[in-house]
Amino acid sequence: MPAQSLIDRFRAGTERLTGARPDPDRRLGLAVSGGPDSLALLALAAEAYPGAVAAATVDHGLRPEAADEARHVAAICRRLDVPHTILAPEEPIGGNIQSAARAARYALLEAWREDEGLGWIATAHHADDQLETILMRLMRGSGVDGLSAIRPVNGAVIRPLLGMRKAELVAHAAARGLEAMADPSNADPAFDRVRVREALHGFPDFDPERLARSTGALLETSAALGWMVEREAREQIAASDGYVELRRTDYPQELLRRLALVAIGRVDPAALPQGPALDRLFERLRQGRKASIGRILVEPLAAGIWRFSLAPPRRTG
């Protein structure tokens, strides 16, 4: 595909997501790791919006070579006349490494965006990433929200490459002589995404536009459900001293699930019950039996009302 066509598509996709053209007064921030996808993002943005972009690389401190990779990106940015910043977390990454690193990365990028007065942060997620994500979430039993997968817009974060295939992005970076750095975790079969990527090797070509229509339909469904839940919660969820009541429970299962989560969150904002736990809770309540979920006691009352409250402390000794 001719390079200018890809640049035009990038420009159109970016401005569709932002609703405005980036300019020197409201620049587009770029998350650039040094891999081929993010280098393509860097090249496209520098060509589409000269003087109106800035880039950042996050060094999570997880690999010794990461510092050299960040400096490599800085050198490319100097060549493209794009301001560059290296970001690093103040505390070591621990726990679930991939999840914790992702959270730290987005927190650092958002702080950088605010400090620099940037309008948006663009990441290099593309159509192949989207397909992998959908398959991973299917295997994990995700619902409508999860299957919406990688959202084109999430707060100030935009993904203007979701309509592009990885192969054309790699070719664009290579055509500009941008040498990509390899992250060994992208080939480590210990990670779900790597195994899914390997399983898709040789998969027939797919149309990113059709994939976008499917994920867009799921996003619209999720938004519609959210709208209905907000309306019903105003009318059917009431709080008193020490408890919350869901005063109507004859909803379709998905609406009931979401309304129960609203009630649970009002009793214990830290509660994050998963689908199977909610299914067990509903089964007991429909049998007319009280049940617990986390620290919350749920009691079925007359007329189909469910009452949510913090469970009393367990007796010891």
Side-chain angles (χ1 to χ4, degrees):
M1 176 171 295
Q4 190 59 41
S5 175
L6 199 64
I7 297 167
D8 289 342
R9 287 165 57 199
F10 172 78
R11 188 182 289 113
T14 297
E15 293 173 23
R16 184 175 62 252
L17 299 180
T18 61
R21 182 184 178 92
D23 59 41
D25 293 325
R26 198 176 188 202
R27 294 176 297 162
L28 175 64
L30 311 173
V32 184
S33 66
D37 310 334
S38 66
L39 291 183
L41 171 68
L42 172 63
L44 287 166
E47 292 171 272
Y49 305 113
V53 297
T57 302
V58 178
D59 177 1
H60 299 91
L62 296 173
R63 297 180 294 112
E65 58 270 30
D68 288 337
E69 293 167 2
R71 287 190 287 269
H72 176 73
V73 175
I76 292 175
C77 286
R78 284 193 296 272
R79 170 179 152 193
L80 298 176
D81 197 24
V82 172
H84 179 264
T85 303
I86 297 174
L87 307 173
E90 293 182 2
E91 301 294 331
I93 302 292
N96 181 318
I97 296 298
Q98 281 202 326
S99 177
R102 185 182 306 111
R105 179 165 62 253
Y106 281 107
L108 287 165
L109 288 168
E110 174 58 19
W112 171 67
R113 184 187 73 82
E114 292 180 355
D115 289 344
E116 294 290 326
L118 306 173
W120 312 271
I121 297 289
T123 70
H125 295 95
H126 47 71
D128 297 64
D129 290 327
Q130 185 74 289
L131 180 59
E132 292 165 9
T133 300
I134 291 170
L135 291 175
M136 288 167 59
R137 293 185 180 178
L138 275 172
M139 292 188 293
R140 293 172 182 170
S142 294
V144 170
D145 292 347
L147 292 176
S148 302
I150 303 172
R151 301 192 173 215
V153 179
N154 188 1
V157 176
I158 64 169
R159 279 91 182 209
L161 306 186
L162 284 179
M164 302 179 189
R165 295 294 307 273
K166 181 181 180 70
E168 58 186 335
L169 295 171
V170 170
H172 187 81
R176 275 140 185 78
L178 303 183
E179 182 183 354
M181 306 296 286
D183 181 346
S185 68
N186 289 330
D188 187 346
F191 297 116
D192 290 346
R193 184 174 294 276
V194 175
R195 294 196 298 273
V196 168
R197 187 173 298 144
E198 289 176 350
L200 285 171
H201 183 69
F203 185 80
D205 282 346
F206 66 93
D207 184 345
E209 291 187 7
R210 291 183 178 181
L211 183 66
R213 282 200 294 272
S214 293
T215 55
L218 286 163
L219 274 171
E220 290 172 2
T221 301
S222 177
L225 285 167
W227 180 86
M228 286 187 283
V229 167
E230 185 176 343
R231 185 189 64 181
E232 292 301 300
R234 284 196 302 267
E235 297 180 0
Q236 303 298 339
I237 296 180
S240 289
D241 187 24
Y243 63 85
V244 169
E245 286 184 349
L246 176 56
R247 294 177 172 172
R248 179 180 173 184
T249 55
D250 60 340
Y251 293 100
Q253 182 78 355
E254 182 61 20
L255 279 176
L256 180 60
R257 183 187 306 277
R258 289 167 182 256
L259 286 163
L261 286 171
V262 172
I264 288 169
R266 292 186 183 177
V267 175
D268 181 8
L272 294 171
Q274 300 298 310
L278 284 172
D279 291 339
R280 291 191 294 270
L281 174 74
F282 293 166
E283 183 178 355
R284 288 181 64 88
L285 292 169
R286 285 171 177 146
Q287 294 169 356
R289 302 158 63 192
K290 65 178 64 176
S292 294
I293 185 164
R295 302 192 307 141
I296 296 174
L297 175 67
V298 189
E299 302 171 88
L301 307 179
I305 296 172
W306 291 354
R307 176 174 289 178
F308 299 75
S309 60
L310 286 177
R314 294 182 179 179
R315 295 180 180 178
T316 58

